[in-house]
Amino acid sequence: MDFLAETFPQHQGLRPGERHIVKLGNRNALKTSSFAQYEHLDYIARLAEQDRRLSVNLGNAYMITPDIVVYCELVSDEEINAKQLIVDETTCRMADVRKTNGGKPILHASISAKWTMRSNRSQNSRTEALGLIRNRKGRLPHIAVVTGEPLPSRIASIALGTGDVDCTYHFALYELLEAVKNTEAEDSVELLESLIEGKRLKDVGDLPLDLCV
């Protein structure tokens, strides 16, 4: 979170708008349903609390709790109309980005941070991603995983394939690649290079710029 807070705001010229970077947790008032694409989840959760049969059928698969989120503040009509008249009382009355419409902030990115990929941690990240994909109403946020896992095979458990996660980022990718090459483990080197060439694995330094897309 600190890394993104120090870097991502420096690229406001590439991605204008007021954005906040927050680490979510049990004590944080913010949750996934605090954002425009997922505000309906709060209503579902309240229904599930009141109906045991509904709760059993739904489980908690609809509730997604990312480690770190980047979200966008809504924009005033004055900002939208700064250069020319675009909105008024009769137009764009349901656009999510317009503050006048009274909506919630927009989730821009969800980042799952896993120091290692041991046990079922990669599956947890994939489950979070699928929850965000399936339960959204509106634009899908960026979905990324950041890890420090040293074993290429474990990194591949989340980085291989497409569809769930935008990309996996390693906190020391180039150092890892050099270390793996020094072991002369050809299979591991080939796997790591395949993930990099296939744009499934990047260095964490690439993340702030990728979030500008």
Side-chain angles (χ1 to χ4, degrees):
M1 183 195 71
D2 290 340
F3 170 70
L4 286 176
E6 292 177 6
T7 55
F8 183 58
Q10 306 303 318
H11 309 309
Q12 291 299 292
L14 298 176
R15 188 78 185 192
E18 184 179 356
R19 285 171 172 75
H20 304 275
I21 300 165
V22 179
K23 178 181 178 182
L24 297 189
N26 294 331
R27 297 182 180 180
N28 197 312
L30 278 177
K31 47 190 176 181
T32 311
S33 58
S34 301
F35 307 110
Q37 303 100 307
Y38 303 97
E39 60 179 322
H40 59 286
L41 297 184
D42 191 43
Y43 173 69
I44 295 174
R46 291 199 304 270
L47 288 180
E49 288 176 359
Q50 299 168 9
D51 190 322
R52 288 185 178 180
R53 288 180 297 178
L54 183 62
S55 178
V56 170
N57 287 324
L58 288 177
N60 62 353
Y62 55 88
M63 295 303 293
I64 308 102
T65 308
D67 294 316
I68 301 165
V69 297
V70 180
Y71 68 91
C72 314
E73 291 289 354
L74 304 186
V75 183
S76 69
D77 285 2
E78 289 74 20
E79 292 177 85
I80 297 173
N81 292 330
K83 294 184 177 180
Q84 62 178 330
L85 182 63
I86 297 175
V87 296
D88 58 25
E89 294 80 3
T90 64
T91 60
C92 305
R93 292 184 294 177
M94 291 184 284
D96 289 335
V97 75
R98 192 179 178 192
K99 186 181 293 185
T100 303
N101 291 336
K104 293 188 175 183
I106 297 171
L107 185 61
H108 178 72
S110 167
I111 300 161
S112 178
K114 305 298 180 188
W115 181 241
T116 64
M117 287 294 175
R118 290 182 178 87
S119 183
N120 63 344
R121 288 184 177 182
S122 63
Q123 188 58 41
N124 288 347
S125 296
R126 199 177 297 278
T127 300
E128 290 174 15
L130 288 172
L132 289 167
I133 293 168
R134 293 171 178 171
N135 290 293
R136 78 188 190 281
K137 288 186 177 180
R139 179 188 180 278
L140 182 67
H142 287 278
I143 302 175
V145 175
V146 176
T147 185
E149 172 59 51
L151 297 180
S153 59
R154 289 179 177 169
I155 296 173
S157 68
I158 185 66
L160 276 178
T162 58
D164 301 338
V165 176
D166 293 355
C167 189
T168 301
Y169 297 83
H170 198 278
F171 89 112
L173 179 60
Y174 302 113
E175 292 82 356
L176 175 63
L177 183 58
E178 182 179 354
V180 172
K181 287 181 177 179
N182 288 338
T183 67
E184 298 183 355
E186 294 184 6
D187 289 348
S188 294
V189 173
E190 183 179 350
L191 177 58
L192 204 55
E193 289 181 340
S194 295
L195 292 174
I196 295 170
E197 291 171 5
K199 297 185 178 181
R200 303 304 302 146
L201 180 63
K202 296 183 180 181
D203 185 76
V204 70
D206 296 312
L207 179 57
L209 279 175
D210 283 351
L211 293 180
C212 292
V213 174

